[in-house]
């Protein structure tokens, strides 16, 4: 059996999957990352994936959100025009400081698990996948963990593109792989040549609201209507499409989705005041689903990861 963990993007709402994994881990008594053969993460999910790969406990990752979210998502100084209109809302250097404090000078190759982390390369105009040395193709084991993390997390409008001393110019992987379940399945089938009948995927969402039409309030109109709703539309459509195609590739019962609904309907991804509520959503989802998930995903640690020569 091959087990994959795939964690969506969602800014500070990464607290939901982090709290979910922390509760699971408390019940297991071992680092939750050790139970998976491959971990994929986009944006905030990429940060969680990296942390798990480096051997951090999920509870430690959750504490990073609690400590650093008020710093990373601190409003910048006064602007004559609204923030985000002519420049990024937040300072990417604040996130850099948080990750430097957590990981120091680690490289992607220091991961104890196979990882795939999406980003978007502005230099080539193409999707980019950071990967450990695990497949038949190329890898980025020597890449600085900070470059990988800041690449996948540099969400347009919220942050400036990540530009490194080596010439990188990267955007958030969520622009093309908001839900990395399909990316992970493709990696497993094409790069790792795993048997699809042996693959099981646990896909974790960040409780973002889904855009849907309701009775008496039809969708439509022009820019005034769609402008503020386009991000929600694109992200929810990406998630649904990725899950549908992953299930077509493996079978409907081999992709398990955990994405607790947020009863408030609030879709903000940058409000540190939401941390207690989001943490409760993740914890409650773990409490409700642990017994059903354990036989497939948590019956014992995965085989140790041996990087390709």
């Amino acid at each position: 059996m091959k087990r994959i963990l795939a964690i969506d993007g969602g800014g500070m709402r990464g607290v939901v999957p982090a709290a979910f994994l922390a509760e699971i881990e408390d019940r297991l008594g071992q680092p939750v990352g050790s139970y998976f053969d491959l971990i994929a993460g986009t944006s905030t999910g990429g940060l969680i994936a990296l942390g798990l790969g480096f051997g951090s406990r999920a509870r430690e990752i959750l504490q990073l959100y609690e400590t650093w979210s008020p710093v990373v998502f601190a409003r910048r100084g006064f602007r004559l025009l609204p923030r985000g209109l002519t420049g990024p809302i937040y300072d990417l250097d604040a996130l850099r400081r948080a990750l430097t404090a957590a990981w120091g000078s680690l490289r992607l190759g220091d991961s104890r698990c196979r990882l795939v982390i999406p980003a978007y390369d502005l230099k080539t105009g193409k999707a980019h996948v950071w990967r450990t040395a695990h497949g038949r193709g190329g890898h980025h084991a020597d890449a600085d963990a900070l470059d990988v993390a800041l690449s996948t997390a540099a969400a347009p409008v919220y942050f400036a593109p990540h530009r490194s001393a080596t010439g990188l110019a990267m955007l958030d992987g969520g622009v093309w792989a908001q839900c990395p379940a399909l990316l992970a399945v493709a990696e497993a089938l094409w790069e790792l040549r795993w048997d699809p009948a042996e693959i099981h995927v646990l896909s974790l969402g960040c409780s973002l609201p889904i855009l849907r039409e309701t009775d008496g309030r039809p969708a439509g109109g022009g820019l005034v209507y769609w402008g503020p709703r386009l991000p929600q539309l694109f992200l929810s459509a990406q998630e649904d499409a990725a899950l549908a195609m992953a299930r077509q590739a493996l079978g409907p019962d081999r992709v398990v989705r955990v994405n607790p609904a947020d009863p408030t309907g609030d879709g903000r991804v940058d409000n540190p005041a939401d941390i207690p509520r989001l943490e409760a959503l993740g914890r409650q989802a773990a409490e409700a689903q642990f017994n059903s998930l354990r036989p497939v995903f948590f019956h014992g640690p995965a085989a140790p990861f041996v990087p390709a020569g």
Side-chain angles (χ1 to χ4, degrees), residues 4 7 29 44 61 99 108 113 120 128 137 139 147 184 191 238 261 264 271 301:
I4 295 174
I7 312 170
T44 194
I61 297 171
L99 298 178
L108 185 59
C113 179
Y120 185 82
H128 180 83
H139 63 79
D147 281 336
E191 288 291 328
Q238 270 200 54
T264 69
N271 184 10

Side-chain angles (χ1 to χ4, degrees), residues 17 46 88 101 106 111 121 124 126-127 142 164 207 211 225 227 245 263 278 284 292:
L106 289 175
S111 175
D121 189 336
T124 64
K126 294 181 179 180
D142 291 334
S164 74
S207 299
L211 183 64
Y225 177 86
M245 287 185 280
L278 298 175
Q284 291 163 6
S292 62

Side-chain angles (χ1 to χ4, degrees), residues 40-101:
T42 296
S43 192
T44 194
L47 306 186
I48 297 173
L50 285 163
L52 295 175
F54 295 145
S56 297
R57 289 184 173 268
R59 183 69 60 187
E60 295 171 334
I61 297 171
L62 179 59
Q63 289 170 352
L64 285 176
Y65 278 98
E66 295 168 346
T67 301
W68 282 98
S69 287
V71 177
V72 173
F73 293 107
R75 295 283 179 170
R76 303 174 77 177
F78 172 78
R79 286 173 175 266
L80 185 61
L81 294 175
R83 297 177 180 87
L85 187 61
T86 60
I89 302 175
Y90 302 110
D91 186 353
L92 193 64
D93 282 341
L95 180 57
R96 186 192 311 274
R97 293 195 301 273
L99 298 178
T100 300

Side-chain angles (χ1 to χ4, degrees), residues 177-189:
Q178 164 67 9
C179 172
L182 181 61
L183 169 63
V185 169
E187 191 77 8
L189 296 178

Side-chain angles (χ1 to χ4, degrees), residues 219-230:
L223 184 60
V224 170
Y225 177 86
W226 284 113
R229 294 173 173 85
L230 285 178

